Amino acid sequence: MQAPVPGGFFTKPMVLWPLLFCVSVLSGSLLFWLEVPAPFFVSAMLFGLVFSLAGVSLALPHPLFICAQALIGCGVAKCITPNVWQMLGSHWLLLGAIVCSSILVGGLVGWSLMKLRIIPGTTAAWGSSPGGASAMVAMAEAYGADVRLVALMQYLRVMLVVLTASTVAHFLLATKKPPDAVAGGILQLAGFNGSLQQLALTLLVTAVCSYLAYRLKIPAGSLLLTMIVGALLNSSGIVDFRLPGLFQIGASLFLGWYVGLGFKRELLASALKMMHWLFFSAFLLIALCALLSWGLHLLTACDPLTAYLATTPGGLDSVLLLAMDSQSDVPFVVAAQSLRLFLVILTGPMIARCICRLV
């Protein structure tokens, strides 16, 4: 059992969780008013980080994290229509090339960190892999890498990706929300437009997919399985996916807390001497993927924001939240990010071995 944090009543989880909830919702409401994409996710992540670095011992229960991923999968699934599959089929070759290029860029960054003897062993290869943060941490442990350092590199990049992508989305939005939409505020965002039957079917599909993903131990499975099955059902007209906006807000808060609270003060202190290199490598990978997004924008008809979100280096759930809330082409982003996640998981061990041989 984990030892309680000293400090009395105000350091107990029963007090800290409501406090974290209140500050996350209030700051998220402010960001929503400022028209920042995925406002509740960004605010929950930042305050989770603040609480964690302050030495607060909180961790999001894993079932809530699974629920958050599944709800995000539902949000993506309802954006998939029959026309989407035709569009994706016509761009599969270009998407494959862009995804493979981003994986090679991640391998190049990892090789550089090892060549310069900044990060030892295969840790650099796993830590600089562009996407699938939780999967990379789990696989790195099985291949003898420093799991704590891999986790730090992955989640540091996820946080930086969210902040940079949110900033880019804020400035690249083609249209702004009208004043009456902003005035509607959080109540309109949290509303529900649908029937109870639609809601029940949506929740049933979500629960079944989440359970199967958990039993089969698929990386990011609750998100991916719900997204794939839901997209097939929704695009074929079998199930009309509907969820209250309040569910999406809850998923954003859970996911933000999961990322923010994942940063441990002890881990950051132990890696303090190389922290500037970790920031540099994360920004370098983001910048190189941004160059790929510019090429994607020039070669296709997609807008700059969609191209940026499609190529930015993970995590999948975080980027999809930003895409759904920033007027970008969600199916295109889903296709690119999902394809990269699958390829990263499949090629991760091979790339790590190749990098070690080249050093």
Side-chain angles (χ1 to χ4, degrees):
M1 182 178 292
Q2 195 173 30
V5 179
F9 176 76
F10 292 102
T11 59
K12 293 182 178 180
M14 61 180 295
V15 176
L16 292 172
W17 276 116
L19 178 61
L20 180 58
F21 173 80
C22 290
V23 295
S24 299
V25 170
L26 290 175
S27 60
S29 302
L30 176 61
L31 293 178
F32 176 79
W33 181 73
L34 294 173
E35 302 185 49
V36 174
F40 293 97
F41 170 68
V42 173
S43 65
M45 183 190 68
L46 290 177
F47 277 101
L49 174 65
V50 169
F51 272 50
S52 184
L53 296 184
V56 172
S57 181
L58 287 179
L60 186 75
H62 193 62
L64 293 183
F65 176 61
I66 292 177
C67 289
Q69 286 192 321
L71 290 174
I72 294 168
C74 275
V76 175
K78 69 180 182 181
C79 300
I80 307 298
T81 61
N83 294 332
V84 169
W85 300 108
Q86 183 178 0
M87 183 272 295
L88 295 179
S90 62
H91 291 92
W92 69 269
L93 185 59
L94 178 61
L95 283 175
I98 292 293
V99 166
C100 290
S101 298
S102 66
I103 293 175
L104 290 176
V105 163
L108 179 62
V109 172
W111 176 82
S112 301
L113 292 174
M114 292 181 64
K115 187 69 175 178
L116 296 173
R117 300 183 184 278
I118 297 170
I119 298 177
T122 58
T123 302
W126 293 106
S128 56
S129 178
S134 57
M136 290 302 101
V137 173
M139 294 172 71
E141 185 175 15
Y143 284 84
D146 185 341
V147 180
R148 292 180 28 163
L149 192 52
V150 170
L152 177 60
M153 293 176 67
Q154 286 286 342
Y155 286 109
L156 177 65
R157 192 184 69 246
V158 168
M159 185 187 71
L160 294 176
V161 162
V162 170
L163 295 178
T164 55
S166 181
T167 303
V168 169
H170 182 68
F171 287 105
L172 287 184
L173 283 177
T175 57
K176 294 286 185 179
K177 295 177 184 177
D180 57 340
V182 177
I186 310 305
L187 290 178
Q188 183 178 355
L189 180 67
F192 176 56
N193 182 21
S195 66
L196 292 178
Q197 182 181 8
Q198 292 169 336
L199 175 60
L201 287 173
T202 302
L203 292 177
L204 177 62
V205 172
T206 304
V208 171
C209 290
S210 299
Y211 177 76
L212 289 175
Y214 173 75
R215 296 295 298 178
L216 297 174
K217 298 182 179 179
I218 304 172
S222 55
L223 187 154
L224 292 173
L225 195 58
T226 303
M227 181 177 69
I228 294 170
V229 174
L232 292 173
L233 294 175
N234 188 70
S235 61
S236 62
I238 298 175
V239 177
D240 186 10
F241 269 59
R242 288 288 186 273
L243 279 176
L246 191 62
F247 281 47
Q248 197 67 43
I249 293 176
S252 300
L253 291 173
F254 290 155
L255 183 60
W257 290 335
Y258 177 81
V259 174
L261 294 172
F263 286 87
K264 298 304 179 185
R265 187 167 58 176
E266 299 80 8
L267 178 58
L268 290 174
S270 65
L272 195 59
K273 293 182 179 179
M274 62 178 71
M275 190 59 68
H276 59 292
W277 285 110
L278 299 184
F279 272 95
F280 175 76
S281 64
F283 278 119
L284 178 61
L285 184 56
I286 292 171
L288 291 174
C289 288
L291 287 177
L292 293 176
S293 75
W294 181 247
L296 181 62
H297 167 62
L298 294 177
L299 292 172
T300 66
C302 70
D303 59 276
L305 178 57
T306 296
Y308 183 84
L309 292 176
T311 56
T312 195
L316 176 63
D317 37 21
S318 308
V319 174
L320 294 188
L321 265 178
L322 290 166
M324 287 187 291
D325 202 30
S326 60
Q327 305 176 21
S328 62
D329 190 342
V330 176
F332 195 89
V333 177
V334 168
Q337 291 285 345
S338 300
L339 180 59
R340 184 171 61 194
L341 176 62
F342 284 125
L343 289 180
V344 160
I345 292 173
L346 290 174
T347 62
M350 180 185 67
I351 291 175
R353 285 194 296 266
C354 289
I355 290 175
C356 290
R357 289 171 186 167
L358 291 174
V359 176

